[in-house]
Amino acid sequence: MIIILLGPPGAGKGTQAENLQRNHGLVNLSTGDMLRAAVASGSEIGRKAKAVMERGDLVPDEVAVAIVAERLAAGPGTAKGLILDGFPRTVGQAEALDRVLAEKHRKLDAVIEMQVVDEALVARISGRFSCAKCGAAYHDTFNRPKVEGKCDVCGGGEFTRRADDSAETVKARLTVYHRETAPLLPYYRARGLLRTVDGMAEIGQVAKEIDAVLASLGRS
Ligand code: ADP
Ligand code: AMP
């Protein structure tokens, strides 16, 4: 099973991907996480991606496609099921993904659109932080750790905020989303793959809606 989580920055894709990974054993493949790891490691891709990411732009299609294709080629771990979070982000990437999957005789099962209005996204992104050890996502207001200062998932006590989560960069990222990524909605609707959930609901409710989509695909 291969599922794409599609939605603007801050829609809750990473949060729901984490749930799906925990509860359904699907492997979460986040191009944003992979690019941040490349930046942290100082690799050539990372050095090129750093400035692009900090200004809220997209890295070139061939870079994003290459890291996903490489991960798909590497993985017996990806055979059971895969969630793509943050990829594809342009029609060019979607077409490349179609080609990569066709070569591997695999198919896309569904594209889940998480609908959230722009006004809510700025508040979500500016309050976002995550566990420095396991990456679990939190929010200052909407999703605090159960025990203050301690990660619910791994017990870690250090948290980080993303360099691109500033108010100015968020605006740039939203503009890029509407211009480059929103055209994927009609692209996948035309293929009968698009399913929409209300991303404005609270986290547990969104998870239930996504579970219902998976159940309708024969997976629960
Ligand atoms: P994305 O991966 O789409 O950029 P995240 O999953 O990182 O988004 O969520 C952005 C922020 O909003 C995080 O701080 C997260 O805890 C919070 N969040 C996620 N889903 C919801 C929700 N349904 N309601 C309120 N806050 C949410
Ligand atoms: P994300 O973690 O999904 O919010 O992504 C963070 C940043 O990484 C984005 O703002 C882009 O600069 C870059 N990025 C992540 N995924 C892609 C992609 N599929 N194509 C191009 N750039 C990407």
Side-chain angles (χ1 to χ4, degrees), residues 89-162:
R89 251 173 159 103
T90 64
V91 171
Q93 292 181 16
E95 289 168 348
L97 176 65
D98 288 343
R99 288 193 293 274
V100 170
L101 292 180
E103 275 166 22
K104 300 198 175 318
H105 309 288
R106 297 188 70 175
K107 73 172 181 55
L108 196 53
D109 293 272
V111 177
I112 302 179
E113 177 199 6
M114 303 183 59
Q115 266 184 351
V116 176
V117 297
D118 282 8
E119 296 70 46
L121 296 170
V122 179
R124 283 206 190 168
I125 291 177
S126 49
R128 165 161 63 187
F129 63 99
S130 61
C131 172
K133 195 166 155 203
C134 76
Y138 296 98
H139 190 279
D140 291 328
T141 312
F142 308 127
N143 184 24
R144 298 192 65 84
K146 290 190 183 76
V147 176
E148 201 56 39
K150 190 170 163 191
C151 175
D152 297 348
V153 177
C154 75
E158 264 189 65
F159 297 89
T160 58
R161 291 184 191 258
R162 282 169 47 174

Side-chain angles (χ1 to χ4, degrees), residues 16-88:
Q16 297 301 329
E18 236 178 73
N19 270 335
L20 288 168
Q21 181 152 277
R22 250 198 317 271
N23 302 331
H24 294 273
L26 302 176
V27 172
N28 177 19
L29 204 162
S30 155
T31 43
D33 282 351
M34 291 191 286
L35 287 166
R36 278 185 288 281
V39 171
S41 76
S43 69
E44 197 187 331
I45 287 184
R47 282 197 304 277
K48 286 186 185 151
K50 188 169 187 283
V52 177
M53 292 169 77
E54 279 176 3
R55 65 172 186 266
D57 248 327
L58 297 182
V59 305
D61 280 355
E62 51 284 12
V63 173
V65 171
I67 56 176
V68 171
E70 198 178 299
R71 182 69 180 81
L72 279 173
T78 67
K80 185 171 174 194
L82 195 64
I83 313 152
L84 295 173
D85 159 11
F87 180 91

